[in-house]
Amino acid sequence: MPVVRPSDAVVHEMHGARFVSYAAPSTGSRELCAWRGEIPAGTRAPAHTVSREEIFHLLAGELLITLDGTAHRVTAGDTVVIHPGATLAVENPGDGTAVSWVTTSHGLEATLADGTRIVPPWAN
């Protein structure tokens, strides 16, 4: 389906954040996945290593993104390029919900520090 309406988006929640999936195989995408992330104030997602490149664009708010051990303060309008094999942690130290747009290729997996592998349903 070439047009995905907001009512067609699939919502998932994990680690205190909300992921609203628009582009995925379930909506007709063959190669890419894209979702809106809603990260409430005070949320700290665990560090994870990604298997695919991600393009993370912050639409609203401010986040602290730690990429391979280096912390970056990211504000609305900033884009973070996350390479395969990079370790990423996201934290919202602000007062409001931060909103992001993420695009990656189909098949993304994330591995937590303890070795737990996560296959996010919004990216597969």
Side-chain angles (χ1 to χ4, degrees):
M1 143 184 3
V3 177
V4 180
R5 309 271 181 220
S7 60
D8 297 324
V10 179
V11 177
H12 303 275
E13 295 190 20
M14 181 182 283
H15 303 298
R18 181 179 161 142
F19 302 88
V20 184
S21 175
Y22 289 89
S26 62
T27 56
S29 178
R30 293 184 183 148
E31 296 181 16
L32 299 176
C33 295
W35 62 88
R36 185 180 72 234
E38 300 168 1
I39 305 106
T43 299
R44 175 182 271 180
H48 55 284
T49 302
V50 297
S51 64
R52 309 263 182 178
E53 184 172 66
E54 286 187 32
I55 305 301
F56 184 105
H57 181 75
L58 193 60
L59 298 169
E62 185 175 320
L63 293 172
L64 184 61
I65 294 183
T66 303
L67 190 58
D68 289 331
T70 302
H72 304 272
R73 186 154 305 276
V74 178
T75 60
D78 290 345
T79 299
V80 181
V81 177
I82 304 156
H83 296 289
T87 299
L88 165 76
V90 177
E91 178 182 356
N92 182 350
D95 295 332
T97 297
V99 180
S100 64
W101 185 262
V102 179
T103 304
T104 189
S105 55
H106 174 267
L108 173 78
E109 294 182 3
T111 304
L112 300 177
D114 68 1
T116 301
R117 195 177 104 232
I118 298 171
V119 180
W122 55 88
N124 287 283

